[in-house]
Each structure stands twice: as C-alpha cells, then as structure tokens.
Amino acid sequence: MENSSSRLIAPSLLLFAILYGGMVPLGGFLGAKQVALGPLAVEAGIFPFLTLIAISSGIAELHGRAVADKLVRFGFIPLVLAIILTVFVLQLPTDEGMYEPAKEAFPIIVGQGWRMMAAGILAYGVSVSLNVWIFARMTANNGRLLPLRGFVAAALSQIIDTLIFITVSFYGVRPIADLMLGQMIAKVVLSAVMVPLLVMAVVAIGRRLDGTQAPEATA
C-alpha cells in the first residue's frame, strides 16, 4: 500500500500555486492602465505577469520542468473563468444607484474586445511555457547563475509575448511597429530589474518551506 505521505503536496508548491492562480487574472485586469516609468511606457499588467514568470521559473528550479509545465496549464483555468465571468457581469443590468462615474468606467476598465481576450490567452500560454522551457534548458550550472537564467528566460519569453499580443490585438487596426518595439524594450528592462530578485526569493522561500538545500556546484 502506498504511503499516504508520499502523495502530500510540497508546502512551497501549494503556496506558489495559490499565488500563481491569483496572478493570472490580475494581469489582465491591471493591464487596463498604462504606467510611465521614466521614458518607458508599459501596461501595468506586466507586474503580475513577471511575477508569474518568476514563480514558474522558481517551481522549475524546485520541482522540475514537468511540474512547472503543469502549473502553466492549470493557469488557463482562472484565466478563462475570469474572462467568462467578466463577460457575464458586463451583460447584467447596472444598478441605477451605482456611483455615476463608475457606471461608465467599469466597462472600459474590465471590458475587452474578443481579439484582446484571444491575444491574452494565446500570449500567456506560449510565453510562460517558453519561459519554463528556456529556464529548464539552462540547468547545466547545477543551481548556479539563478538570477541570470531567470532574466534570460524572462526577457526572451517577453519578446515573444509582445509579438503575439500586439499582433493579434491590433494588426490591421493601428500601426504596431513602434508600439511593439516600445513594449519589448520596457518589458526586457523590467525583466532585468524584477525577475532575478523574484526568482531568487521564490527559490529561497521554497527551500525554506520544504526544508531542502541548494545543490552544491560541481567543479
């Protein structure tokens, strides 16, 4: 008879799976705001999205690529449910007593055209899966260079994410070359600033929760 303890989920995986599931729909919601970071302009959804990137890389480091890939696939569930619920709520009649400015603002903030919804789903699946694949392929250093591996995987996946999302959302509607270039630069810069620190934090917290240690580097 199989020992029941062998089927228990690792504490780090439970914690970061919960965080991951919450960040997936949050990225779409916060994407309604454009933020200015000095000369860079980027959708605010990049912050939870880079957190997703860091968590998926950290899970790949802690539990292997197969587990990280499964986490990415499970991420489609809250993403699709959030879209379905948003569409449903937008179809319901608005209470006349609702705060007047919010009546007009709410559909603008949460509503998206079908192209942007499709672009978000496609870009999420491709870019985060690509991030896990690149990160997992860079494991020859036996646990070393974690920040660099996290940045390289994040930067390359964010370039692909931008190509997919901007093209599917806006091709044929508006010029996309300058928009795409600006978004790529902003996302690569933010990947360099945020992802190395986040990946190290995820791995450090995960190892502490699971009571494991980093593998020793070989000569």
Side-chain angles (χ1 to χ4, degrees), residues 1-208:
M1 183 175 179
E2 184 180 1
N3 190 333
S4 60
S5 63
S6 65
R7 297 193 299 269
L8 294 177
I9 187 171
S12 65
L13 185 55
L14 177 60
L15 171 63
F16 290 119
I18 293 171
L19 292 175
Y20 189 96
M23 288 293 170
V24 174
L26 186 61
F29 177 75
L30 293 183
K33 178 174 181 177
Q34 290 281 122
V35 295
L37 303 174
L40 302 177
V42 67
E43 294 176 354
I46 187 62
F47 299 110
F49 200 84
L50 288 180
T51 304
L52 290 178
I53 292 290
I55 292 175
S56 63
S57 295
I59 292 299
E61 182 77 2
L62 293 166
H63 303 288
R65 177 186 167 188
V67 175
D69 283 337
K70 186 175 293 187
L71 183 68
V72 173
R73 291 195 296 271
F74 283 151
F76 281 105
I77 298 174
L79 177 59
V80 173
L81 284 177
I83 291 174
I84 293 173
L85 286 173
T86 298
V87 172
F88 171 71
V89 168
L90 288 172
Q91 303 308 310
L92 295 177
T94 302
D95 177 22
E96 292 300 324
M98 184 176 177
Y99 180 53
E100 198 62 37
K103 289 182 181 180
E104 298 180 3
F106 183 79
I108 297 173
I109 293 173
V110 303
Q112 296 179 340
W114 69 266
R115 285 183 61 168
M116 291 189 69
M117 292 181 183
I121 294 173
L122 184 60
Y124 162 77
V126 173
S127 64
V128 185
S129 297
L130 179 64
N131 172 78
V132 171
W133 182 82
I134 295 172
F135 184 87
R137 295 285 291 180
M138 299 172 66
T139 56
N141 293 297
N142 200 24
R144 293 180 296 177
L145 302 179
L146 181 63
L148 178 61
R149 290 157 53 207
F151 162 66
V152 170
L156 293 177
S157 66
Q158 285 305 289
I159 290 173
I160 300 301
D161 175 85
T162 303
L163 282 169
I164 295 173
F165 185 81
I166 298 297
T167 301
V168 176
S169 295
F170 302 116
Y171 182 77
V173 177
R174 56 178 292 186
I176 63 174
D178 290 343
L179 176 62
M180 191 176 290
L181 179 61
Q183 290 288 303
M184 285 182 183
I185 294 173
K187 289 180 179 181
V188 170
V189 170
L190 286 173
S191 295
V193 173
M194 291 180 56
V195 173
L197 295 175
L198 288 173
V199 171
M200 288 191 296
V202 169
V203 172
I205 293 170
R207 286 178 176 150
R208 178 175 290 273

